[in-house]
C-alpha cells in the first residue's frame, strides 16, 4: 500500500504526565492515566511519492519550518522500520475547535503513527504503535487506545518499556467530559518547553515526581471500581499539583486565565449543590469536567453561562485509533 488514512481521537489525562526522564527518547518523567474522548480528533492521510522532501498539509494549509521538521523526524523512524527512503505527503485535518489548544498533538501523532506505518507497510502491534506514537508526543501514546489508558513513565525506564495500554473499555464506566473552552488564543509556550523549564527551576518539581505514583495507583483502582468521586478528587489533585509546580517555576508559567478560574469555581459550587463533577486543565486554559453521563447536560448549561466561556462540548469515552477510507 502506498497510501493510508487513519483517525484518532484526543485523550484527556486524568492523572497527568509533566516532565521528561529522557528528552531524546521522549520518555515521560511520570506515568499517566487518560480517557480517550468520542469527539475531537485528527484524520491523517499519508501518501508515498517520489519527491525529495516530505510535505505536510494541516487543515488544508501547507506547513513548513518547525511543524514540518517535527513530522519529518517522526517519519524517519517509520522509514527506518520499513527500510524505505521514500518521502511522503501528510495531509491532516483536525476536528478540534480551531486554535483551541485542546490536546491536538495527542490525536495528531496517534493518527500519523497508524497511517504512516500502514502506508510504509510496517506491521506493528498496538503496544508497538503506542511506543512509536510516543516519539511524536507523550500523550499520543495513549490515543492509540480507546477508553481508559495507563501509560508507563519514569526515571530508569527504557524506551521499550514506555508505552500505554487499555485498563478499561469505553463502556466500562458511564462518565462524560464536559469541555469548556476558555480562550481562542494560541498557547505561547509549548508543553515540552514548559516541562523542561519547570523541571529546571521549580522547587516543587521533585515533590511532584515523588508523590505521583501513589496518585496513579489510587486512580487506577478508582477506575476499576467505577468510583467517579474518588477518581474526580484524584484528578483535581493531579492537575492542581501540576499547575502549582509550573506557577512556582522561575519565571512562572501560567496557562490558566480568568475564565478558567470562574469555571473551576463553578464546578466547586455545583458540587456543593450535590452535583458529581470535577475539573482538570492541561497546558492551556480550557477546563474539562468529569461527571456522570446523566448529569453532563445540566452541568454543561451551567458552565456555558459563565463569562469568558466560548463554547461547551460534551464528550463521552471514545474508541482507539483506526484505519479508515480516505
Ligand atoms: O503530549 P505532550 O508531550 O504535549 O504533553 C502533554 C502534557 C499534558 O497534557 C499537560 C498532560 C498529559 O498527560 O496529557
Amino acid at each position: 500500500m502506498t497510501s493510508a488514512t487513519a483517525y484518532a481521537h484526543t485523550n484527556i489525562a486524568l492523572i497527568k504526565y509533566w516532565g521528561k526522564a529522557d528528552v531524546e527518547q521522549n520518555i515521560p518523567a511520570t506515568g499517566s492515566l487518560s480517557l480517550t474522548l468520542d469527539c475531537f480528533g485528527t484524520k491523517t492521510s499519508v501518501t508515498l511519492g517520489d519527491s525529495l522532501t516530505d510535505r505536510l498539509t494541516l487543515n488544508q494549509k501547507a506547513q513548513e519550518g518547525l511543524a514540518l521538521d517535527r513530522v519529518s523526524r517522526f517519519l524517519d523512524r517509520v522509514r527506518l522500520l520499513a527500510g524505505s527512503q521514500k518521502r511522503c505527503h501528510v495531509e491532516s485535518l483536525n476536528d478540534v475547535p480551531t486554535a483551541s489548544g485542546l490536546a491536538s498533538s495527542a490525536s495528531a501523532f496517534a493518527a500519523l503513527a497508524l497511517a504512516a506505518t500502514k502506508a510504509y507497510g510496517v506491521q506493528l502491534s498496538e503496544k508497538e504503535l503506542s511506543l512509536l506514537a510516543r516519539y511524536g508526543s507523550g500523550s499520543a501514546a495513549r490515543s492509540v487506545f480507546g477508553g481508559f489508558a495507563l501509560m508507563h513513565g519514569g526515571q530508569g525506564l527504557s524506551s521499550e518499556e514506555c508505552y500505554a495500554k487499555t485498563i478499561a473499555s469505553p463502556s466500562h464506566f458511564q462518565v462524560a467530559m464536559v469541555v469548556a473552552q476558555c480562550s481562542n488564543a494560541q498557547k505561547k509556550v509549548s508543553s515540552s518547553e514548559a516541562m523542561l523549564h519547570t523541571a529546571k527551576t521549580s522547587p516543587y518539581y521533585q515533590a511532584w515526581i515523588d508523590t505521583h505514583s501513589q496518585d496513579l495507583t489510587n486512580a487506577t483502582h478508582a477506575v476499576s471500581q467505577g468510583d467517579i468521586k474518588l477518581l474526580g478528587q484524584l484528578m483535581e489533585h493531579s492537575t492542581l499539583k501540576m499547575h502549582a509546580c509550573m506557577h512556582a517555576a522561575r519565571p512562572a508559567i501560567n496557562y490558566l486565565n480568568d475564565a478558567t478560574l470562574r469555571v473551576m469555581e463553578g464546578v466547586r459550587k455545583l458540587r456543593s449543590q450535590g452535583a458529581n463533577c470535577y475539573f482538570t486543565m492541561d497546558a492551556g486554559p480550557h477546563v474539562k469536567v468529569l461527571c456522570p453521563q446523566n448529569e453532563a447536560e445540566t452541568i454543561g448549561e451551567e458552565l456555558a453561562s459563565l463569562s469568558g466561556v466560548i463554547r461547551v462540548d460534551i464528550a463521552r469515552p471514545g474508541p482507539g485509533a483506526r484505519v479508515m477510507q480516505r
Side-chain angles (χ1 to χ4, degrees), residues 254-275:
N254 177 39
Y255 285 114
L256 316 180
N257 65 21
D258 49 355
T260 313
L261 301 182
R262 270 194 291 276
V263 177
M264 288 163 65
E265 254 340 282
V267 168
R268 290 185 178 116
K269 184 169 158 219
L270 284 165
R271 210 156 57 214
S272 73
Q273 296 165 346

Side-chain angles (χ1 to χ4, degrees), residues 156-315:
L157 232 62
S158 73
S159 180
E160 278 64 44
E161 291 169 311
C162 192
Y163 54 89
K165 63 175 185 193
T166 301
I167 58 159
S169 74
S171 60
H172 166 71
F173 197 177
Q174 305 298 300
V175 293
M177 275 276 183
V178 178
V179 181
Q181 202 185 310
C182 292
S183 162
N184 265 328
Q186 293 276 10
K187 67 179 163 202
K188 292 191 197 88
V189 191
S190 75
S191 47
S192 289
E193 244 177 279
M195 283 179 202
L196 298 181
H197 177 71
T198 310
K200 237 196 257 167
T201 67
S202 175
Y204 297 163
Y205 183 71
Q206 196 52 47
W208 158 256
I209 300 291
D210 293 344
T211 58
H212 194 278
S213 65
Q214 194 60 55
D215 295 340
L216 204 54
T217 307
N218 294 345
T220 306
H221 176 73
V223 170
S224 74
Q225 298 298 303
D227 186 340
I228 190 169
K229 184 171 179 196
L230 177 60
L231 183 61
Q233 286 170 342
L234 290 161
M235 184 184 82
E236 280 195 1
H237 180 58
S238 181
T239 191
L240 290 172
K241 227 167 23 173
M242 180 183 83
H243 285 280
C245 201
M246 288 184 231
H247 289 170
R250 294 178 132 171
I253 295 171
N254 177 39
Y255 285 114
L256 316 180
N257 65 21
D258 49 355
T260 313
L261 301 182
R262 270 194 291 276
V263 177
M264 288 163 65
E265 254 340 282
V267 168
R268 290 185 178 116
K269 184 169 158 219
L270 284 165
R271 210 156 57 214
S272 73
Q273 296 165 346
N276 206 0
C277 53
Y278 306 88
F279 58 75
T280 188
M281 293 79 62
D282 291 284
H286 320 298
V287 186
K288 298 95 182 187
V289 179
L290 183 75
C291 63
Q293 285 178 7
N294 60 5
E295 292 185 36
E297 202 113 326
T298 319
I299 290 168
E301 277 166 22
E302 280 294 325
L303 301 182
S305 71
L306 297 174
S307 143
V309 174
I310 294 167
R311 166 181 169 146
V312 168
D313 290 276
I314 296 177

